[in-house]
């Protein structure tokens, strides 16, 4: 999922021409919000209502849902050291929104990575610079993932810094 997302987002950004980064960035975020937010709001509202009616202790689940609307349910789940594969998470219908948090945080940071690397100049050297920047960021992310996987599984699983390598692989694939 993350690899495909990295490929598609890089492709989408590459196809857009803009002289003004701030206009591009706001337009880029607006498109992501329009695509993701309406369905997420309906999901959170409907499931929260069902939880309130049928779950005697819905607080943790509802907080996870609310944080997903703000784009950081992954950080909320990490803060509370949630183990994604633990039995307790089976009862939280919003635990799956951690990946949306990773995606949304990526949407905010990635255009700046491209801006810094010179991607928007659209020449061969700027594409090479972007490719190298994303490659080394992805390599760093992968190394962090391996380091934390055994030491702190929640850190490795829920945080964007240890998940960037997956998205970066999609970005690299598109750039190549």
């Amino acid at each position: 999922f993350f690899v495909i997302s990295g490929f598609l987002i890089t492709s989408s950004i590459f196809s857009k021409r803009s002289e003004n980064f701030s206009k591009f960035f706001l337009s880029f975020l607006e498109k992501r919000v329009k695509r993701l937010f309406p369905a997420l709001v309906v999901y959170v509202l409907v499931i929260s209502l069902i939880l309130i009616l049928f779950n005697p202790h819905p607080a943790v689940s509802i907080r996870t849902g609310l944080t997903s609307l703000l784009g950081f349910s992954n950080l909320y789940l990490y803060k509370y050291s949630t183990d994604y594969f633990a039995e307790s998470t089976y009862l939280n219908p919003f635990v799956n929104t951690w990946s949306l948090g990773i995606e949304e945080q990526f949407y905010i940071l990635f255009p700046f990575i491209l801006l810094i690397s010179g991607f928007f100049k659209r020449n061969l050297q700027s594409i090479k610079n972007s490719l190298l920047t994303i490659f080394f960021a992805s390599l760093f992310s992968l190394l962090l993932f391996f380091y934390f996987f055994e030491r702190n599984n929640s850190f490795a699983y829920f945080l964007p810094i240890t998940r960037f390598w997956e998205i970066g692989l999609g970005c690299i694939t598109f750039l190549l």
Side-chain angles (χ1 to χ4, degrees):
F1 174 75
F2 287 146
V3 174
I4 292 169
S5 182
F7 184 92
L8 293 174
I9 289 301
T10 308
S11 168
S12 172
I13 291 173
F14 189 78
S15 68
K16 304 288 185 261
R17 301 282 184 215
S18 181
E19 299 298 319
N20 183 323
F21 178 76
S22 24
K23 282 184 185 178
F24 160 79
F25 182 67
L26 291 175
S27 169
F28 175 75
L29 289 181
E30 179 183 6
K31 287 177 188 171
R32 306 287 85 71
V33 167
K34 283 181 180 178
R35 185 175 61 84
L36 295 172
F37 202 67
L40 182 60
V41 168
V42 170
Y43 174 69
V44 170
L45 288 175
V46 169
I47 299 301
S48 293
L49 179 61
I50 291 169
L51 285 170
I52 290 168
L53 293 174
F54 296 105
N55 184 339
H57 306 288
V60 171
S61 294
I62 290 175
R63 277 195 297 271
T64 307
L66 292 175
T67 58
S68 75
L69 293 174
L70 301 172
F72 57 88
S73 61
N74 62 318
L75 302 177
Y76 175 79
L77 291 165
Y78 169 68
K79 179 181 177 188
Y80 290 98
S81 297
T82 303
D83 180 354
Y84 186 80
F85 300 104
E87 235 179 272
S88 62
T89 60
Y90 295 148
L91 301 177
N92 185 342
F94 300 115
V95 78
N96 60 326
T97 62
W98 72 269
S99 63
L100 283 176
I102 300 279
E103 287 278 318
E104 292 168 18
Q105 293 151 26
F106 170 75
Y107 295 152
I108 292 170
L109 294 176
F110 189 59
F112 290 100
I113 291 171
L114 293 177
L115 178 68
I116 291 167
S117 69
F119 177 82
F120 294 103
K121 292 178 184 173
R122 301 278 201 270
N123 60 42
L124 187 57
Q125 187 58 47
S126 67
I127 300 301
K128 285 180 183 178
N129 289 344
S130 298
L131 186 60
L132 286 172
T133 301
I134 295 166
F135 173 78
F136 284 114
S138 297
L139 181 61
F140 178 70
S141 172
L142 181 61
L143 292 172
L144 282 177
F145 178 82
F146 282 130
Y147 177 80
F148 283 104
F149 186 75
E150 293 296 325
R151 290 167 181 82
N152 186 340
N153 196 274
S154 291
F155 187 96
Y157 197 82
F158 289 120
L159 296 184
I161 195 164
T162 55
R163 290 302 195 148
F164 179 80
W165 68 274
E166 295 165 293
I167 299 170
L169 184 60
C171 302
I172 290 167
T173 303
F174 175 80
L175 291 173
L176 290 174

